Amino acid sequence: MAQEDPYEFGEELGGTETNDTQPYNDQLDQALDLHHITGIAITGTIGIGLFINTGEFITIAGSLGAPLAFAIAGFIVGCVYVSLAEMVCLRPVPGALMAYPSEFVDEGLGYAVGIIYIFANCVVIIALTQIAALITGYWQPKFEKISVSGVIAILLTSTMLSNTLGVRTYGWMEWFFKWLKLILIFGLCALMIAVNVGAGPLGHYIGFTNYTAFPPGYNNTGFRYSNAKDHHVDISGGGGRFLSIWTCVTLATFAYTGGDMVMVAAGEARNPRRDLTAAAKYMYLVPACLYVLASFLVGLNVNFLDDRLFRLHETQNDITGKLSPFIIAVQRAGIPFLPGFLNGCFLFSAHTATNASVYAASRTLFQISRLSRFAFLPSKSGEKTEFKLPINLFSRMYSSCMLCVYASECLAFYRFYLSTRACGEVFGRNEPSYERKYFRARRQPFWSLVGLVGCLLLVLTSGWTAIYQLASGSESTTKEELAVEILGAYLGPVIFCGIYLAYKAVYSTQTKSLEEIARHLDQTAANQGGVVDPAPIWDVLR
């Protein structure tokens, strides 16, 4: 007997019709409202990237190059979320990130997305917990008796305990964390303005005296006072400036990932068609705007040559809050006690982001375990990690994995878009009935194609700096360290492609035809309920 497709169109994974009067998953509690969902997503998005890595971007791309890199990365990721918003309004099913590639492209692609998504969230849990533990080094030597391993044990224990709470309690907790993080960023923006105009005992009016829009070119570890230019590894002129900004774009994607957790919450949303569409449409705008603003303001107060800033390709980076450009600016103004307080806030931000990653990984694993074709679950034994490894290793591995997921979602939307041209009056995307019943993104498939091409370019170029250094014979970083960095950039995509090809080989899956997709989309439209208006933007900001 033929095996039933767990992602059959018009049905939920367990066989329930997809309408707003029945739960989408009888094994999950539909207890999350819109503000809970945005809390999980924003808490997972705002981790440590803005607070520490902004200084790295300033050293590489200059005071204006850093916010420009954040803006470009935010635009590419935003194109992905716009495409997801339309699909989630149509198909708000549990395991949505897996379901869309499986339904609109190939079942094997859906499984590959699910496995690599779990792997990516496990990697980012390691990265954020490691960074959070090392940030405690800011208070050394006052707390010499507290070891890094002890701090990691405490942080992981609290993370696991918070994820054992009921889903509604967990949602309220993430909502509270969301507002603490937003208040922190707004407070930092106000603080940077105050420092710029001369606040603090040692403060004086700075204005644009520290502002250098772009560096003279590209330097592999960024520019500094002590060694303003590495002549052996340097690309000067406009080409070097472009590569400096693009390098920061590849790194900035780490700070924007997390909004995809809106899709992960589909199985536990009370009103998925209403809430998930609004969250996917608007949620990413909050961190995107704040990242650009905060990075611009801190760039006014910290010179891109400052030796204390975090730097690319340097394993001797002391990963504590001391490297944060925000703390450097406050210390220069001579404001007492505030640097330590801000470091504690950065510790909180990094740690709470791991909560959302555990949530995303556990829900995705739950959905994979329900699929009858998947006969095994991946396991990964613990491995010792030396803190001498470049801190960018795990963040790059996570970013490259997530970019594979995002590219798959954009491809899924493009196939969905093409199939709607073959639909009749029931489901034609250009029909008035479609726009009344679902959300239709304007100027598609432009957004999905930009997201697809952008994500693929970021994946392909994520390790270019290390490759360039190996090819040019740079002695500023050892070959072993560069090899580890290349591994971090490309291991995730290799695993992703391997899983996809292996699944196709084992189960002989075929790419779904546009006619097949169109036929099932008509069935989906016939089975769903009436018109559901997406929640307004002010509900997202609640």
Side-chain angles (χ1 to χ4, degrees), residues 2 33 37 73 135 180 199 250 276 279 314 319 328 333 341 410 449 452 472-473 476 492 494 531:
D33 295 318
I37 296 169
I135 282 177
L180 288 181
T250 65
L276 297 182
E314 290 194 1
I319 309 302
I328 291 173
F341 172 76
C410 289
L449 292 177
L452 175 61
S472 61
S476 60
V494 170
V531 176

Side-chain angles (χ1 to χ4, degrees), residues 120-455:
N121 279 282
C122 291
V123 168
V124 81
I125 290 169
I126 297 172
L128 291 173
T129 303
Q130 177 184 354
I131 293 173
L134 293 177
I135 282 177
T136 60
Y138 179 89
W139 293 286
Q140 298 287 358
K142 294 181 180 179
F143 302 100
E144 291 181 348
K145 294 183 179 180
I146 301 179
S147 65
V148 173
S149 58
V151 174
I152 289 177
I154 294 172
L155 294 176
L156 286 177
T157 300
S158 63
T159 297
M160 298 306 170
L161 288 176
S162 66
N163 274 269
T164 61
L165 303 174
V167 66
R168 189 164 180 83
T169 302
Y170 175 78
W172 278 112
M173 181 179 66
E174 294 293 279
W175 174 85
F176 179 68
F177 291 162
K178 172 188 75 174
W179 280 109
L180 288 181
K181 291 188 174 186
L182 293 178
I183 291 171
L184 171 61
I185 297 179
F186 279 117
L188 285 173
C189 291
L191 179 61
M192 290 301 101
I193 295 175
V195 169
N196 188 261
V197 298
L202 303 178
H204 60 278
Y205 180 76
I206 299 174
F208 284 84
T209 57
N210 279 332
Y211 197 80
T212 303
F214 302 105
Y218 170 77
N219 185 284
N220 65 306
T221 59
F223 297 89
R224 63 176 72 208
Y225 286 117
S226 58
N227 185 17
K229 208 172 187 182
D230 182 349
H231 292 281
H232 185 64
V233 183
D234 181 71
I235 304 173
S236 60
R241 296 186 186 95
F242 170 78
L243 291 174
S244 297
I245 295 172
W246 185 254
T247 299
C248 293
V249 173
T250 65
L251 298 171
T253 53
F254 175 73
Y256 280 108
T257 54
D260 44 87
M261 294 178 191
V262 169
M263 310 301 144
V264 177
E268 293 167 297
R270 283 186 170 182
N271 196 339
R273 282 183 60 196
R274 175 184 182 272
D275 293 342
L276 297 182
T277 303
K281 283 171 60 180
Y282 302 122
M283 191 285 305
Y284 76 94
L285 293 174
V286 177
C289 295
L290 292 179
Y291 285 179
V292 173
L293 177 62
S295 60
F296 171 77
L297 292 174
V298 74
L300 295 175
N301 301 320
V302 178
N303 193 287
F304 82 111
L305 295 175
D306 197 306
D307 289 325
R308 293 173 292 177
L309 292 171
F310 186 87
R311 297 184 181 277
L312 184 65
H313 301 308
E314 290 194 1
T315 55
Q316 64 267 31
N317 278 320
D318 181 21
I319 309 302
T320 69
K322 297 177 183 178
L323 292 173
S324 170
F326 298 96
I327 289 182
I328 291 173
V330 171
Q331 288 175 333
R332 182 167 293 170
I335 304 176
F337 307 111
L338 195 53
F341 172 76
L342 290 178
N343 192 72
C345 292
F346 301 159
L347 171 62
F348 161 80
S349 182
H351 173 52
T352 53
T354 63
N355 287 343
S357 295
V358 172
Y359 172 85
S362 63
R363 268 53 180 185
T364 306
L365 182 61
F366 173 76
Q367 295 301 332
I368 288 180
S369 67
R370 298 184 63 206
L371 303 181
S372 56
R373 277 197 179 186
F374 205 64
F376 65 93
L377 292 177
S379 61
K380 188 177 188 300
S381 58
E383 298 176 359
K384 295 183 178 179
T385 300
E386 296 183 7
F387 293 108
K388 293 170 61 178
L389 286 175
I391 202 64
N392 279 327
L393 170 64
F394 293 120
S395 63
R396 285 199 175 196
M397 190 178 299
Y398 169 73
S399 298
S400 62
C401 291
M402 291 305 301
L403 287 170
C404 292
V405 174
Y406 289 169
S408 301
E409 303 304 327
C410 289
L411 177 60
F413 178 87
Y414 184 63
R415 296 268 301 168
F416 157 77
Y417 172 84
L418 293 178
S419 68
T420 57
R421 294 185 175 184
C423 287
E425 294 183 359
V426 177
F427 201 82
R429 190 173 180 273
N430 294 324
E431 295 294 330
S433 58
Y434 180 94
E435 192 165 7
R436 287 196 303 268
K437 193 173 182 180
Y438 307 104
F439 163 68
R440 186 177 70 180
R442 305 295 179 184
R443 289 177 288 278
Q444 285 283 23
F446 172 78
W447 305 117
S448 62
L449 292 177
V450 170
L452 175 61
V453 173
C455 289

Side-chain angles (χ1 to χ4, degrees), residues 18-37:
T18 55
N19 57 54
D20 293 319
T21 61
Q22 294 179 329
Y24 287 93
N25 190 333
D26 56 5
Q27 297 186 38
L28 292 174
D29 294 329
Q30 283 73 42
L32 296 179
D33 295 318
L34 178 58
H35 52 280
H36 301 135
I37 296 169

